[in-house]
Amino acid sequence: METSKHPTVEEVTLTPTARIRKVAVLGAGVMGAQIAAHCVNSSVPVLLYDLPAEGADRSAIARKAVAGLAKLNPAPLALPALAQHIEPLNYDEHLDRLHECDLVIEAIAERLDWKEQLYRLILPALAPHATLASNTSGLSLSSLAASLPADIQPRFCGVHFFNPPRYMPLVELIPGPLTAPELLDDLETFLVADLGKRVVRAKDTPNFVGNRVGVFGIMAAMIEADRHGLTYDMVDELTGKRLGRAKSGTFRTADVVGLDTLAHVMRTMQDGLPDDPFHPTFATPPVLAELLRNGALGQKTGAGFYRKAGKAILRLDPASRDYVPIDAQLDDRVAAALSQRDPARRLQDLHACDHPQARFVWALLRDTFHYAAVHLADIAETARDLDQAMRWGFGHAQGPFEVWQAAGWLQVARWIQEDIDSGAALAATPLPSWVLEGPVAEAGGVHTPEGSWNPTLGQFQPRRMLAVYATHLAPPLLVGEARAGAAKLAAHSSTASTAPAKSPALAAAVMALGDTVYEDTDIRLWTAFEPGRADILVASFKTKMHTISPTVTAGILRAIDLAEANYRGLVIWQDGEPFSAGADLQSMLQAYMQGGAATIEPMERELQRVAQRMRNAQVPTVVALAGLALGGGCEISVHASARVAHMETYIGLVEVGVGLVPGAGGLAYCARRAAELRAASAPDAPLLWFVQKFAQAVATAQVSRSALDAREIGYLRESDLIVPHPDALLYAALQQAGALADAGWRPPLQQPFPVAGRDGIATLTAQLVNMRDGGFISAYDYELGLAVAQVICGGDVDAGSLVDEEWMLAQERRAFLRLLGQPKTQERIAGLLKTGKPVRN
């Protein structure tokens, strides 16, 4: 039987995605306005509706909401100018315009009667083909659907965005009783391909999947903290990054979300789940009830479980009801257990330790495992959906089933059941039978290379095979979906299916095993088993934060040599964010201390050679950007033939933050690009107009707020692709490299370009003097800004002088090496390495 293959680009461009040309959002509250903002980030125009206002401007409520987007932090808009594509409207004057929209998202307050009233109002104006979706966070879809006509119900579903919509990956899709299956497929395709979201399908139960399990975890943490006598700051220390969760932990997270919001979700569980065996857990804790009565709702009111007093952060003492200094001290044994790299040993040590901190951590994990297992069949199709909801909606590094499975499924299950039998658990309900016997017990967990456990069907179920996922060559895998299982999966796929779309898990697994051409401690060169693109070499860094060590530098040069000799292109892609945090400063500073500038200059020349080879390679070089691309990471990317960037890419030349100037061709790029932009757009304009923009970005260590913003700064070009979903980056980069090669790629011809020279330096210096004397920058910031100005303007030459790349690179090297020898620069580097924060001196 024919081996299954990936669809071509044409095959995965689906009609349903193209069909959603315009979106309407009903309700211009904070959530509705931000959903609208995220749509326009992806070039989907939006009609934003709200109630008619009094006065001449009947759309004032929606208009104010659009204007308010600019004040929100983090910014909902990738660029402030995108707000013009959100059209503020009102129901009285503009209801007829709803027929323009292919998708209508209702996002008003969580009141069933209000939603039903709104549906009656808008249904006559709805286009015959349009999808109606409610952004409810927990109301019953069956109850909402009951108020709709029979012909509308197949086009109705729930679409729960997590807040803030631009940054939180998770969207839950919830079917109503009569929702058409193809509508869910179409909407998932749109959410993934156009909005870059990660979708989990939930069953129609209160709070769905993410909030059901996540908020239970918060309530369990409150109960177990009280049981074990732990303070709120101690709980946050234990339930933050040490446990693979958001660094804000439990109580700080509650303050950030808003205690009123948390209480609302808790009430949904209290009212909607009267028969849940864990129902007593849902009771509002007395301390939380008192905070709510006092209007202490968390961060938005200035006080909650924590309160800020000047620069100090105080915690609430539940006994005295006063705010006191935070004083969490982690026990050494507990710290050692949490730092264990072996998950089985980590949980074993925590379970065996008698310290209250360890007992708390075990109890919290046990309660979450217990709850997830008991309710999996009620709330989700598979264990995968539940774990992904916790990853994508609550920022957990691993979902509860993953943590459980990695620690040893059967042993942990026995510990849980022992605590249930002894009465230590929060509920007496035993674990489901599938936990301790049958296929899950035999497999050692709920996730396997073949799929994840579906308790309703009693089998392991593979990932959904929508065609949109064919471009996701390396999606994040769950524990148990090990890439080591690729060979088995590949053999299975070659005989079991001729479907055009492979499982993404299979694609990722096969990719990971695909031909390794070269590998050392810091870099891997390989080719993907992507049909038609095995002739493109891929380089992936293995260093922490994908920093550019001397070994990475050598590896990139090797990759370019190999690509020119044996392949048709080179892609630099990282298996996870960031793209690169820049040069390895620690090794560079150590080398300088041991051997001085003579030791660093060869390293600096090699970094510059990497950038120039990326630009002048005889095959196309493409970088796939996501997350941070700072310093040397930015310099590599701007010199590549092309860039493919995820929307959430943050690019910047930030070297002044550590007392340096860009030294791997960054300022040479800025000077050349300024000259190119002037020649292309305004040949008669002063060159300094174009240089100034780059000089300011470098001197202030400006980092783009999005890929679109990076275009505005000049680190991305109009021709560079911006991809909504990070998992599509590798596919897009391989296609781009192949397309450039197919088109007969040749590197750009080398030619000199004009620089701003002494006149430009004088103008930029005057601006720096004003900033220093006005107290906006320090004296050393002034020195660094002056170094940037001198290099980016080409040094001590006449304005308009023609220089080449080598001239500019020599200017960079001299400035970089001089600054590296300055004590204040060394203080900045040492401070950043020690604290992770920039030092201002």
Side-chain angles (χ1 to χ4, degrees), residues 226-530:
D226 186 58
R227 282 183 174 184
H228 294 84
L230 301 186
T231 61
Y232 300 140
D233 55 328
M234 188 69 255
V235 170
D236 286 345
E237 181 69 23
L238 291 166
T239 59
K241 295 182 73 173
R242 293 178 186 273
L243 211 59
R245 301 181 179 182
K247 65 180 181 181
S248 52
T250 299
F251 292 99
R252 278 195 182 92
T253 297
D255 273 0
V256 171
V257 169
L259 301 187
D260 53 340
T261 302
L262 175 63
H264 168 76
V265 180
M266 292 170 69
R267 279 194 300 273
T268 302
M269 297 175 76
Q270 293 163 9
D271 298 341
L273 298 166
D275 299 325
D276 192 313
F278 293 82
H279 191 269
T281 307
F282 306 157
T284 304
V287 172
L288 177 58
E290 183 173 332
L291 288 170
L292 294 168
R293 284 195 301 271
N294 295 336
L297 306 181
Q299 185 171 285
K300 59 187 171 186
T301 61
F305 290 109
Y306 293 91
R307 179 166 66 83
K308 193 171 184 179
K311 293 185 177 180
I313 303 293
L314 307 178
R315 66 165 173 85
L316 181 66
D317 176 15
S320 67
R321 297 299 198 263
D322 290 331
Y323 288 90
V324 299
I326 58 176
D327 57 358
Q329 296 292 325
L330 197 63
D331 179 78
D332 290 343
R333 290 173 297 166
V334 178
L338 289 170
S339 64
Q340 280 282 353
R341 297 179 67 87
D342 179 0
R345 177 71 182 276
R346 183 188 310 124
L347 205 56
Q348 182 179 8
D349 288 354
L350 288 168
H351 183 262
C353 183
D354 61 0
H355 194 280
Q357 295 173 6
R359 301 310 302 157
F360 164 81
V361 175
W362 159 248
L364 177 60
L365 292 174
R366 174 204 65 212
D367 296 340
T368 307
F369 298 161
H370 187 192
Y371 192 81
V374 167
H375 288 297
L376 174 60
D378 304 331
I379 65 177
E381 287 185 1
T382 69
R384 179 190 310 108
D385 296 317
L386 192 150
D387 277 347
Q388 288 177 334
M390 297 310 298
R391 278 183 173 221
W392 301 336
F394 281 77
H396 292 193
Q398 294 179 334
F401 288 126
E402 290 184 276
V403 177
W404 181 352
Q405 181 166 334
W409 183 266
L410 284 176
Q411 178 60 70
V412 174
R414 293 187 189 103
W415 288 339
I416 297 169
Q417 192 59 53
E418 287 170 5
D419 282 3
I420 295 170
D421 295 340
S422 70
L426 292 182
T429 303
L431 290 170
S433 59
W434 58 260
V435 171
L436 289 161
E437 57 190 42
V440 170
E442 293 168 8
V446 293
H447 304 303
T448 70
E450 288 77 18
S452 294
W453 183 248
N454 182 322
T456 303
L457 299 179
Q459 63 186 38
F460 295 103
Q461 183 171 310
R463 294 188 178 211
R464 236 181 340 274
M465 297 191 342
L466 298 181
V468 66
Y469 293 118
T471 63
H472 294 196
L473 302 186
L477 299 181
L478 302 176
V479 168
E481 289 185 312
R483 294 177 181 175
K488 180 178 177 182
L489 283 172
H492 174 76
S493 72
S494 67
T495 58
S497 174
T498 57
K502 290 193 293 187
S503 160
L506 169 61
V510 173
M511 181 281 301
L513 291 180
D515 292 331
T516 295
V517 177
Y518 171 82
E519 186 168 12
D520 58 33
T521 56
D522 289 6
I523 195 168
R524 177 175 179 245
L525 311 181
W526 53 278
T527 56
F529 287 161
E530 170 61 14

Side-chain angles (χ1 to χ4, degrees), residues 720-790:
D720 291 331
L721 299 178
I722 295 179
V723 178
H725 205 292
D727 292 352
L729 271 177
L730 177 57
Y731 182 90
L734 290 170
Q735 295 294 333
Q736 182 76 336
L740 290 172
D742 292 342
W745 166 260
R746 298 287 297 177
L749 295 172
Q750 300 300 302
Q751 57 185 28
F753 51 89
V755 290
R758 284 185 292 270
D759 292 352
I761 295 171
T763 301
L764 295 177
T765 300
Q767 295 172 356
L768 289 166
V769 168
N770 290 336
M771 294 178 70
R772 181 196 61 193
D773 294 349
F776 297 104
I777 60 175
S778 70
Y780 199 56
D781 288 329
Y782 167 80
E783 294 295 330
L784 294 168
L786 190 58
V788 170
Q790 290 168 341

Side-chain angles (χ1 to χ4, degrees), residues 78-107:
L79 278 180
L82 290 172
Q84 65 184 302
H85 300 292
I86 304 174
E87 200 169 347
L89 305 175
N90 68 82
Y91 300 117
D92 277 7
E93 296 179 310
H94 308 113
L95 201 58
D96 62 322
R97 294 197 56 195
L98 266 185
H99 78 275
E100 302 173 15
C101 300
D102 310 298
L103 170 64
V104 177
I105 301 174
E106 169 268 302

